[in-house]
Amino acid sequence: MANTETMTLNMGPQHPSTHGVLRLVVELDGEVIQSITPHIGYLHRGVEKLSEHRTYHQTLPLTDRLDYLAPMHNNLGYVLAVEKLLDLEVPERAQTIRVIMAELTRIMSHLVWLACHALDIGAMTVFIYCFREREEIMNIYEKISGARMTTNYFRIGGLSKDVYEGFEADVRKIIDTFPGFFDQYEGLLTKNTIWLNRTIGNGVISAEDAIDYGITGPALRGSGVDWDLRRDNPYSGYEKYSFKVPVGEKCDTFDRYKVRLIEMREAVKILRQALDSLKPGPILADDPQVCYPPKEAVYNTIEGLIHHFKIASEGFPAPEGEIYLGVENPKGELGYYIVSDGGTKPYRMKIRSPSFVNLQSMEKMCKGAMIADLIAVIGTLDIVLGEIDR
Amino acid sequence: MSNATLDIILLLAKIALVFFVILTMAAYLVLAERRILAWIQDRKGPNRVGPQGLLQPLADVIKMLTKEDVRPAGADKWLFYLAPAMAAIPAILTFAVIPFGAPVILFGRELPLVISDLNVGLLFFMALSSIAVYGVAIGGWASNSKYALLGSIRGLAQLISYELSMGLSLVPAVMLSRSFRLSDIVNAQAHVPFIVYQPLAFIIFLISIAAECKRIPFDLPEAEGELVAGFHTEYSGMRFGLFFVGEYINVIVLGGLAASFFLGGWHGPWLPAPVWFIVKVLAFAVFFIWMRGTLPRLRYDQLMHFGWKVLTPLALINILVTGWWLMLR
């Protein structure tokens, strides 16, 4: 009997497929995985601590940098949590535009997921195709907020500014063209035997285990749990739109892939409904205590300037209390837990980031599988290190 | 000038010509791959150096020659330096037995357009392709890196199992032409190429050579997403370049072999023989590039299953059927 030893392989933080700076210490027997220990923290910026020293408005740009592939969603979760704390009513137009941007962001985030997932498994063309389409959405971002990734577009109480002229046409173009692109990806992957071989039966996690691990988002729905915050705990007017929540059956990578692809198609449906229901109106809540004055007032009147200065420098006091609000981020439930002591800054803010929670199921999914399976699992979990490390 | 001197001069000229053509083709195949992939993927590809990027291969070579040649600490010095050559040389040597045109009359003597028309040409090729594995294995082992080691183990396993189906898929060609000599095999296809009689053997051979030259979906030894760069992770500069160019030479050589075994080699109407040969080789190269633009990568165990459980039995059955067919004919 030969004497065998396991090999410890240090994967990352620099590795083509660890999606940023994830470091995995993998115990290998040949190519078979015995155990995985994720090491995180290479991208830690202390967002939660920083927010304790910033007014509620000033924390907003930090949230862009959590899941930098879905910036609008992070903004959305944060502003919704603060608005709930303040009990602030947001105008309908602002809510609808928020939904449009959130669903565009969902498509964008899923495109990057599909691109990287496919590239990790070796399908290079899908990668380039997805980034080609992502460009369209980034262009809308740029026109609407001035930035392509760290958008910082939403404001507590509404939006920083109204949409640009031609916004509707741009979104309509996406609604019309994107389903065809999704068909292209499916043509390259769903009907490809190699892709099926690589994804079916890979990274299986049962519904009970998924719930026990606290997995949320498409990874949870891929395991057959029918749970989507947009439908089950609606926010920002999601209850007005009709959309399907796809669920998987076999709990494997292929089901999670299908769930995300259907989600992209459903997002297009939501976009169409939201755009049809978009009516003119105010885009910021009428609460001078909280919201910035319009720019014309700031530049042209002394009262407006004083108002702006007061909110920018001092901020606004939030009522004492604590609040938790979760939104359905493309990656799972993104929750903001804010404790207020009545001051203008949060006493404590805790971010429940979906990637962080989903990551812990990796060992469960990979034990006994091979290195190539681990790569597929990293892809299917759709982690973003900016969010894991915060 | 004596006859012997002229013979030697002609032979050397032929070798130099073949050497030059293969290396140039390999360099431009890299460019072609990048341009065709870019075209498949809706982007531009390298088009800055020279007209349409035609000088890009030169720029790449200059870059690789001037880069620092890094040897990782703890690497086995001699083996580390030797491995790239072991990967590239067998690929070039294989071309010695491939006929690329009908014999021409030069200086009043018949000159075969093949460097060495061995009577065991096919076996020579099989032997060399086995030796090429050592480049991968030794390179990965000598690097003193775990990624490289895993890559070289994968390379060994893959090449050994696909060599078998490759060899078996060539047996029908030998049975039909009754010779191991490549020029005989090509001449046996003067009227009908073997692909007509042996479509299955052709497909098996095609899949096997895709695995042999480590192209997607069989690029496991260097699977970028998994093993960083596999067996050549630690190589830099021209040593990496040798591995890289060796792979493209391999594509050309294996394309040439596939053309010779199944597509009638240099035989073809209207065009001169060497042109036909090059067209057929390039067709295989484009096919491989196209495959890379379309397919994902297999998993290690799936690859082995496919080789041992599908290709090898099919090739064996094909030999049996061919035997019966030849007997009854």
Side-chain angles (χ1 to χ4, degrees):
Chain A
M1 195 64 199
N3 181 24
T4 58
E5 270 178 49
T6 59
M7 176 166 99
T8 310
L9 182 69
N10 178 44
M11 243 181 171
Q14 274 88 37
H15 185 278
S17 304
T18 51
H19 291 213
V21 285
L22 175 66
R23 177 175 165 222
L24 298 169
V25 177
V26 188
E27 193 79 23
L28 290 173
D29 176 13
E31 282 220 17
V32 180
I33 292 161
Q34 303 295 312
S35 76
I36 300 173
T37 316
H39 289 241
I40 59 172
Y42 290 91
L43 207 58
H44 181 64
R45 290 144 301 173
V47 170
E48 289 164 346
K49 188 70 186 168
L50 282 171
S51 69
E52 291 171 20
H53 300 276
R54 272 161 175 70
T55 67
Y56 287 98
H57 279 303
Q58 285 169 340
T59 302
L60 188 56
L62 296 180
T63 61
D64 287 331
R65 281 126 179 111
L66 294 173
D67 176 0
Y68 41 78
L69 298 175
M72 295 269 191
H73 258 286
N74 306 323
N75 292 165
L76 182 64
Y78 176 72
V79 293
L80 285 172
V82 177
E83 280 156 10
K84 191 175 170 192
L85 183 67
L86 297 169
D87 203 13
L88 194 65
E89 190 67 34
V90 179
E92 201 186 321
R93 182 176 171 81
Q95 287 197 2
T96 312
I97 294 174
R98 279 180 180 180
V99 168
I100 294 174
M101 293 319 290
E103 290 309 306
L104 281 177
T105 306
R106 185 178 312 279
I107 296 175
M108 190 171 115
S109 172
H110 281 358
L111 282 177
V112 177
W113 155 77
L114 182 61
C116 300
H117 191 32
L119 183 67
D120 290 349
I121 297 187
M124 198 170 145
T125 303
V126 178
F127 171 77
I128 308 272
Y129 282 2
C130 289
F131 271 79
R132 177 186 67 190
E133 272 75 83
R134 178 175 180 245
E135 199 67 17
E136 302 276 320
I137 300 176
M138 299 252 280
N139 286 339
I140 292 184
Y141 271 24
E142 192 177 354
K143 286 190 199 168
I144 207 166
S145 72
R148 288 164 70 82
M149 278 182 93
T150 48
T151 51
N152 193 26
Y153 175 57
F154 301 151
R155 287 288 177 275
I156 295 162
L159 307 169
S160 64
K161 54 181 174 248
D162 208 336
V163 296
Y164 59 94
E165 212 172 308
F167 170 74
E168 282 195 37
D170 282 355
V171 179
R172 291 250 182 242
K173 192 180 155 216
I174 284 182
I175 294 173
D176 292 338
T177 54
F178 270 39
F181 293 135
F182 300 152
D183 293 340
Q184 264 184 13
Y185 313 147
E186 291 223 49
L188 276 168
L189 298 176
T190 314
K191 292 171 189 152
N192 188 324
T193 317
I194 298 178
W195 178 263
L196 299 181
N197 277 338
R198 286 297 303 275
T199 53
I200 290 178
N202 165 267
V204 176
I205 186 156
S206 68
E208 295 81 51
D209 283 337
I211 292 170
D212 286 350
Y213 274 98
I215 298 176
T216 47
L220 178 70
R221 290 190 283 279
S223 288
V225 182
D226 194 3
W227 176 252
D228 189 324
L229 285 175
R230 290 177 295 170
R231 184 198 60 199
D232 299 318
N233 188 12
Y235 51 89
S236 199
Y238 263 112
E239 63 278 1
K240 287 185 295 191
Y241 311 111
S242 71
F243 57 94
K244 280 206 303 270
V245 176
V247 286
E249 284 164 10
K250 293 198 286 295
C251 318
D252 57 9
T253 299
F254 182 72
D255 278 15
R256 290 186 284 269
Y257 156 80
K258 281 300 272 184
V259 162
R260 286 196 179 96
L261 273 178
I262 297 172
E263 261 179 32
M264 285 202 270
R265 292 180 193 276
E266 293 299 315
V268 171
K269 275 191 209 163
I270 298 176
L271 278 179
R272 184 178 288 124
Q273 296 171 39
L275 212 54
D276 288 341
S277 70
L278 190 62
K279 290 186 215 55
I283 51 142
L284 206 56
D286 184 22
D287 188 345
Q289 276 274 306
V290 174
C291 302
Y292 281 99
K295 280 281 181 245
E296 304 86 68
V298 180
Y299 292 141
N300 299 316
T301 67
I302 186 66
E303 292 83 1
L305 186 64
I306 293 170
H307 184 190
H308 180 89
F309 181 74
K310 195 158 156 44
I311 289 184
S313 59
E314 192 192 359
F316 55 84
E320 207 177 321
E322 51 191 75
I323 200 89
Y324 174 84
L325 191 127
V327 292
E328 190 69 31
N329 200 33
K331 302 189 167 55
E333 178 179 343
L334 173 71
Y336 286 90
Y337 175 63
I338 299 174
V339 181
S340 164
D341 56 0
T344 58
K345 294 164 185 166
Y347 171 75
R348 172 86 175 90
M349 183 167 87
K350 159 91 180 93
I351 301 165
R352 183 217 187 267
S353 59
S355 298
F356 176 71
V357 182
N358 290 358
L359 177 68
Q360 62 180 333
S361 64
M362 187 176 282
E363 187 172 1
K364 176 93 188 163
M365 287 184 181
C366 290
K367 207 160 200 169
M370 309 187 90
I371 296 181
D373 291 323
L374 167 63
I375 300 302
V377 164
I378 296 177
T380 190
L381 281 176
D382 193 13
I383 49 170
V384 164
L385 269 294
E387 190 180 62
I388 290 175
D389 292 341
R390 296 192 288 282
Chain B
M1 208 187 310
S2 72
N3 267 351
T5 331
L6 192 61
D7 274 342
I8 290 173
I9 289 174
L10 279 178
L11 193 62
L12 286 178
K14 211 159 57 178
I15 290 174
L17 182 77
V18 166
F19 203 66
F20 175 75
V21 169
I22 289 186
L23 283 183
T24 317
M25 267 176 81
Y28 275 91
L29 196 57
V30 178
L31 178 71
E33 161 145 54
R34 292 170 69 184
R35 289 305 295 256
I36 294 174
L37 264 188
W39 178 62
I40 292 174
Q41 295 170 349
D42 205 0
R43 57 194 172 89
K44 295 243 189 301
N47 62 357
R48 297 288 121 174
V49 191
Q52 290 295 308
L54 280 177
L55 296 182
Q56 184 70 42
L58 269 180
D60 286 345
V61 169
I62 291 170
K63 179 186 143 185
M64 286 207 267
L65 282 173
T66 49
K67 277 211 158 187
E68 189 188 350
D69 182 23
V70 183
R71 180 170 58 91
D76 191 318
K77 192 174 167 192
W78 288 107
L79 290 181
F80 185 78
Y81 286 161
L82 201 62
M86 290 184 81
I89 290 173
I92 301 175
L93 275 182
T94 310
F95 205 86
V97 295
I98 304 177
F100 50 90
V104 291
I105 307 294
L106 208 65
F107 301 121
R109 67 187 64 213
E110 201 190 54
L111 185 71
L113 283 188
V114 52
I115 287 169
S116 166
D117 199 10
L118 284 181
N119 59 354
V120 286
L122 193 143
L123 297 181
F124 178 74
F125 146 63
M126 295 300 293
L128 279 176
S129 78
S130 302
I131 287 176
V133 181
Y134 284 100
V136 173
I138 290 177
W141 183 79
S143 296
N144 191 28
S145 151
K146 287 170 183 170
Y147 287 123
L149 180 65
L150 283 171
S152 64
I153 292 172
R154 282 179 175 196
L156 276 175
Q158 167 176 339
L159 296 180
I160 288 170
S161 38
Y162 277 79
E163 204 121 274
L164 192 66
S165 56
M166 185 168 74
L168 289 175
S169 71
L170 288 179
V171 173
V174 176
M175 290 162 85
L176 288 170
S177 62
R178 292 162 195 277
S179 170
F180 278 118
R181 194 192 293 267
L182 263 75
S183 59
D184 289 347
I185 296 178
V186 169
N187 283 328
Q189 306 173 64
H191 302 294
V192 186
F194 285 163
I195 185 174
V196 178
Y197 302 124
Q198 293 292 339
L200 184 64
F202 174 69
I203 291 168
I204 294 171
F205 186 70
L206 199 61
I207 295 172
S208 305
I209 60 175
E212 185 77 17
C213 52
K214 304 185 276 291
R215 306 280 304 175
I216 270 185
F218 305 106
D219 67 336
L220 295 172
E222 50 198 83
E224 192 206 348
E226 296 156 27
L227 302 180
V228 189
F231 65 91
H232 58 58
T233 304
E234 302 294 340
Y235 281 91
S236 62
M238 203 53 215
R239 287 184 205 283
F240 162 74
L242 263 184
F243 272 125
F244 193 68
V245 161
E247 247 159 61
Y248 283 87
I249 295 173
N250 233 333
V251 170
I252 294 170
V253 169
L254 291 170
L257 285 166
S260 303
F261 289 136
F262 292 102
L263 295 186
W266 43 266
H267 286 291
W270 308 306
L271 294 173
V275 176
W276 261 118
F277 181 74
I278 289 180
V279 164
K280 286 172 185 171
V281 170
L282 289 184
F284 281 105
V286 170
F287 176 75
F288 285 141
I289 295 169
W290 191 1
M291 212 154 68
R292 183 168 171 209
T294 315
L295 295 178
R297 184 182 302 124
L298 279 164
R299 205 174 59 203
Y300 183 43
D301 57 326
Q302 290 167 347
L303 178 102
M304 304 295 280
H305 282 201
F306 188 62
W308 288 103
K309 293 188 180 166
V310 180
L311 289 185
T312 307
L314 272 181
L316 282 170
I317 291 168
N318 194 36
I319 292 172
L320 275 179
V321 172
T322 311
W324 271 318
W325 181 67
L326 281 176
M327 202 169 70
L328 294 174
R329 194 169 62 165

